[in-house]
Amino acid sequence: MSRNEAAIGFDEVRRAAAVIVGQVIATPLIPSPRLSDLTGATVFVKHENMQATGAFKERGALNRLLALTADERARGVVAMSAGNHAQALAYHAGRLSIPATIVMPVGTPLVKAENTRGHGAEVLLEGANLSESEDVARRLSWKRGLTLVHPYDDPLVMAGQGTIALEMLAACPDLDDIVVPIGGGGLISGIAVAAKATRPDIRIVGVQAALYPSCVNALRGEDAPIGGATLAEGIAVKNVGRLTLPIIRELVSEIVLVDEPTIERAVNAYATLCRTMAEGAGAAGLAAMLSRPDLFQGRRVGLVLCGGNIDARLLASVMVRELEREDRIASFRITSPDRPGLLGEIASRLGQLGANILEVSHGRLFLDVPAKGVSVDLTIETRSREHTAAILEALASEQLNPRRIGPAGLSETNF
């Protein structure tokens, strides 16, 4: 692909920056010492979760809307989206008094559909997935004369997303890498064009959820399975863009696939170390650094935290699961002859050892417990993995014989 054949060039990104200035937030690029310590690199985070609708999508959506003719504005726009693109387009269309229709898959969470309606858009829940919703959107575009605003495969959208790189390199010109999540490819293609034109030596690294390796498949001619429940639903795209793929092929150095536990770990790290919210897709760049520290060791890395729209209950679940992975929350069972005061003694001993009891279940009816015995299932919170181990060893030394309870049930390990 020659530069003249690419869907966008540096001039288009610069024009987009001039058009959208003052209408989207020029989000900060903030050094993160805690993430630097975690990854072994010098990390800077671009906080696109600070946009009005919580994600980078506003840049491309606004750039596309501002290019409409007066007649196109009057007739309105249509798009398919399950989340951030829908809210971004609806928000800016509402600001500009442009009618907007958003087609969302039938299974879209109610809160996302209501947020989109709240910005004044007409929301249609049609199609089992985004591909079927796109078919509906294209039919509506033809039938009603609406302008289709594609979430990633549109030059003006791609150019708008590329303005992120201009801001990052203006704030920190000596970045070695920019790490970017990949769904359909609009974000990384825009960033790659702008960054490489400004700094030809900079490395652009893409990230995909391991369950949705669509771009990796397309680049390598592979056919790895695609699908499944992922925390990074914002990049759970089965087909990379027709316009974005050639740019990715030419300008992106490497693509890292990240598994679900690592995405969860990255979401948790943003919440606990940076005190900021990241959705699964937004945290994918950090997940790549955690998954492949060898790629980034000692380098100056810019992470694009591209979105923060994560459900509060899901975030809470992710944070508790991470505590369990770190053994700061542990569950175990004690089986003992039944006698008065046993439960109180166990609780008192755990308090002496510095554990906080989160949950306790006292049972006598399990068939693997002697008729005169009792089982006590406990979940405790501790300071660290080492603290947990010390507590279990202390209980074992006192003949209480705790047995760990994990996701698959009781462990065979006794302490």
Side-chain angles (χ1 to χ4, degrees):
M1 180 193 70
S2 71
R3 186 68 63 211
N4 291 333
E5 294 172 333
I8 61 167
F10 188 48
D11 287 344
E12 284 79 13
V13 179
R14 287 194 299 184
R15 278 197 291 272
V19 165
I20 69 175
V21 66
Q23 299 186 69
V24 299
I25 297 171
T27 57
L29 181 73
I30 300 176
S32 179
R34 299 291 300 276
L35 295 186
S36 298
D37 291 342
L38 181 66
T39 61
T42 302
V43 177
F44 300 81
V45 179
K46 180 66 165 167
H47 284 263
E48 284 296 291
N49 59 341
M50 295 176 65
Q51 296 293 350
T53 59
F56 76 97
K57 290 283 191 178
E58 293 186 27
R59 296 171 181 268
L62 178 60
N63 192 45
R64 185 66 185 88
L65 289 172
L66 293 175
L68 296 173
T69 66
D71 181 57
E72 288 171 334
R73 285 191 177 210
R75 282 184 278 131
V77 296
V78 64
M80 71 289 187
S81 170
N84 290 336
H85 180 64
Q87 294 179 67
L89 187 66
Y91 173 69
H92 285 288
R95 280 200 319 109
L96 299 169
S97 300
I98 299 171
T101 301
I102 311 294
V103 184
M104 309 181 91
V106 172
T108 298
L110 181 62
V111 64
K112 293 185 177 182
E114 289 306 310
N115 286 346
T116 304
R117 287 192 183 97
H119 294 307
E122 176 188 1
V123 173
L124 302 176
L125 296 175
E126 296 192 33
N129 51 48
L130 203 58
S131 177
E132 292 184 10
S133 295
E134 179 176 359
D135 292 339
V136 175
R138 290 190 180 280
R139 288 197 298 271
L140 284 173
S141 173
W142 176 80
K143 184 177 180 180
R144 298 186 189 177
L146 307 176
T147 299
L148 178 69
V149 181
H150 199 280
Y152 51 85
D153 221 14
D154 181 302
L156 289 165
V157 171
M158 295 158 63
Q161 323 303 26
T163 60
I164 292 173
L166 301 182
E167 294 174 11
M168 293 179 76
L169 292 174
C172 188
D174 57 348
L175 288 175
D176 295 314
D177 304 317
I178 299 179
V179 187
V180 190
I182 303 177
L187 177 62
I188 197 169
S189 59
I191 284 177
V193 166
K196 285 288 192 178
T198 307
R199 281 268 317 284
D201 61 325
I202 199 167
R203 186 173 66 168
I204 308 298
V205 178
V207 192
Q208 288 201 294
L211 291 173
Y212 287 83
S214 53
C215 191
V216 170
N217 279 352
L219 291 174
R220 299 176 185 171
E222 297 176 353
D223 192 26
I226 294 177
T230 175
L231 184 63
E233 73 279 352
I235 54 173
V237 175
K238 294 187 176 182
N239 297 295
V240 70
R242 178 180 58 84
L243 301 180
T244 63
L245 182 61
I247 295 175
I248 295 170
R249 179 178 283 114
E250 181 177 355
L251 300 181
V252 175
S253 300
E254 186 153 354
I255 298 176
V256 178
L257 297 178
V258 291
D259 62 20
E260 293 304 301
T262 309
I263 296 171
E264 290 185 28
R265 185 181 171 203
V267 168
N268 179 72
Y270 272 123
T272 58
L273 302 182
C274 300
R275 304 296 189 265
T276 192
M277 291 178 68
E279 59 192 81
L286 177 57
M289 296 189 72
L290 298 175
S291 179
R292 291 288 310 278
D294 56 297
L295 280 180
F296 306 101
Q297 184 74 32
R299 297 173 69 88
R300 295 171 65 81
V301 180
L303 293 178
V304 182
L305 199 178
C306 58
N309 291 321
I310 185 169
D311 181 82
R313 289 174 297 178
L314 180 58
L315 177 60
S317 174
V318 166
M319 295 176 74
V320 170
R321 285 162 62 88
E322 194 60 27
L323 289 173
E324 292 174 343
R325 288 192 182 98
E326 294 172 357
D327 263 357
R328 291 170 60 193
I329 290 180
S331 297
F332 57 94
R333 174 174 295 174
I334 291 173
T335 301
S336 171
D338 194 8
R339 56 185 169 80
L342 174 66
L343 188 58
E345 290 173 15
I346 294 172
S348 296
R349 187 65 181 117
L350 288 171
Q352 293 167 3
L353 293 167
N356 180 35
I357 298 176
L358 300 179
E359 188 173 284
V360 61
S361 174
H362 192 235
R364 293 179 174 83
L365 301 180
F366 295 109
L367 293 179
D368 61 346
V369 176
K372 292 184 178 181
V374 64
S375 71
V376 182
D377 289 356
L378 298 115
T379 300
I380 61 172
E381 182 182 18
T382 69
R383 295 188 299 272
S384 64
R385 177 174 281 112
E386 293 73 21
H387 187 204
T388 298
I391 289 170
L392 294 172
E393 287 172 7
L395 295 177
S397 71
E398 296 164 15
Q399 307 307 310
L400 290 171
N401 300 320
R403 297 171 64 196
R404 288 295 296 267
I405 302 173
L410 280 172
S411 167
E412 293 301 318
T413 303
N414 290 325
F415 289 84

